[in-house]
């Protein structure tokens, strides 16, 4: 996925972003670029405090290639490795 596709998926307009540093960015550069960290905001889905939240509607692709539990386990492991706290919400099966 190229940066343009990523920005579109995140609903971000490149014109709204601050210019990047002219050298290799360090932790201080990142903090200055992002600005002060706001306090937690309520999650749009569950209402619990969150730093970032968004609901992404996905199309049902029919039969999954792997069980949902396996997919969620991979997502949780990736979030843990990245040091991020996430909550994955899944629609119940139709008819449930």
């Amino acid at each position: 996925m190229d940066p343009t596709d990523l920005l579109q998926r995140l609903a971000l307009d490149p014109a709204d972003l601050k210019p990047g540093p002219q050298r290799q960015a360090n932790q201080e550069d990142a903090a200055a670029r992002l600005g002060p960290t706001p306090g937690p905001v309520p999650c749009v889905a569950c209402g619990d405090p969150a730093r970032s939240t968004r609901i992404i509607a996905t199309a049902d692709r029919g039969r999954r290639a792997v069980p949902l539990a396996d997919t969620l386990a991979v997502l949780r492991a990736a979030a843990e490795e990245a040091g991020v706290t996430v909550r994955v919400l899944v629609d119940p099966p139709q008819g449930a």
Side-chain angles (χ1 to χ4, degrees):
M1 175 180 304
D2 68 17
T4 303
D5 290 339
L6 178 61
L7 290 171
Q8 279 184 325
R9 287 181 184 254
L10 295 173
L12 294 173
D13 182 354
D16 293 338
L17 300 176
K18 295 177 186 176
Q22 297 300 316
R23 59 183 167 71
Q24 183 71 26
N26 58 30
Q27 190 171 9
E28 290 79 25
D29 293 330
R33 183 171 161 81
L34 295 173
T37 304
V41 296
C43 174
V44 296
C46 67
D48 287 349
R51 292 273 178 211
S52 174
T53 180
R54 172 169 290 176
I55 294 178
I56 300 173
T58 58
D60 183 15
R61 298 187 316 171
R63 192 177 65 111
R64 292 179 173 85
V66 296
L68 179 60
D70 293 350
T71 302
L72 295 176
V74 170
L75 287 172
R76 286 185 187 101
E80 184 176 323
E81 183 178 327
V84 184
T85 302
V86 298
R87 178 177 294 181
V88 178
L89 303 174
V90 180
D91 286 337
Q94 291 192 1

